[in-house]
Amino acid sequence: MRKLLFVFTVLGSLLISSCSDNAFQEMLFRTTEDPFQDVPVTDSLTKEHTVYLSWKEDEGCDTFRLMRSYDQPDLYFTCIYEGTATEYTDENLPDGDKYVYRLDKTRGRKKDFVGNAYAYGYSSDCRRDIWEDNDTEDKAIRLEHDLICNLPCVQYITDSKEDLDCDWFYVEIPPRRMAGILVKQEGLSQGTPTNLMIQVSGETSQQIEHGIEVAISNSTDEKRNYYFRIFPRTTGLFDTDMMTDIGYTVSLRRIIIYTN
């Protein structure tokens, strides 16, 4: 009886001391589920030659292991971060390099969980333009004056993955009027076909020619907003380089009377 009392006394002391620093609670109430599969979110355009990565918390994981390989036919992964944080900055990277990332996890001493999907990132001297994030119609930028923009485009060897930017804008057009939209791609002369496409919402896309107006017409009797996107023309885009940045300027050149 005395032995049992002693055991319970010791266990009670351990319980109280453990609760004081939450160690016992963490052990007692920790999930029994294995770590879940996750893919890092990458950002290659906030800072030059830097890839920012982040991922979700996981109660079933003891340690995250961020793996990286060069984008090449045969992937060879090495661990660039191991710990409990949910973000990592891969910086001071050589210009033009492309990377494939994988998030592995561990639980306990012997359980390793290898990620089953990849994230992609690259190193360049390009940053996203100041009008981002306008990658979707609901985030379109109003076009009233000249906007200087860029479309970063990257093609990876791995899984033939393409990372293509897209910019959305809208223009307010009075009733029975037409807007003339002018797009100029850096490095091209007047009338030269660009690497850019334009598509008014609900209409067919068309290739843009440098410095040639694209007409958007409002044939109704009320003022309306017309949404359009500018995106890369992929035909021939990666013939010479698998990483390119298309710089362009989009302008509202004029609004004139609409004639049918």
Side-chain angles (χ1 to χ4, degrees), residues 116-166:
N116 61 5
Y118 300 139
Y120 301 83
Y122 58 92
S123 170
S124 76
D125 57 5
C126 170
R127 291 193 182 193
R128 61 175 51 88
D129 61 57
I130 63 173
W131 312 112
E132 293 287 352
D133 174 24
N134 61 332
D135 294 345
T136 55
E137 186 172 352
D138 62 304
K139 296 180 180 179
I141 300 296
R142 182 174 180 176
L143 181 62
E144 298 179 285
H145 53 85
D146 297 355
L147 303 181
I148 300 174
C149 311
N150 66 312
L151 292 177
C153 306
V154 182
Q155 185 179 61
Y156 296 87
I157 296 173
T158 305
D159 296 332
S160 299
K161 164 75 174 178
E162 289 184 346
D163 189 354
L164 305 175
D165 195 9
C166 171

Side-chain angles (χ1 to χ4, degrees), residues 91-117:
E91 53 190 342
N92 300 319
L93 302 171
D95 188 60
D97 279 359
K98 296 177 297 175
Y99 304 97
V100 180
Y101 297 93
R102 190 186 76 207
L103 185 64
D104 294 351
K105 301 179 180 182
T106 65
R107 181 183 175 96
R109 294 183 178 181
K110 297 182 179 180
K111 286 191 176 183
D112 294 329
F113 298 84
V114 177
N116 61 5

Side-chain angles (χ1 to χ4, degrees), residues 14 21-22 43 50 58 68 81 94 155 169 175 184 243:
L14 289 175
D21 60 5
N22 294 322
D43 174 6
T50 302
D58 188 345
R68 184 186 72 187
Y81 170 76
Q155 185 179 61
F169 307 93
K184 294 183 177 181
M243 184 185 302

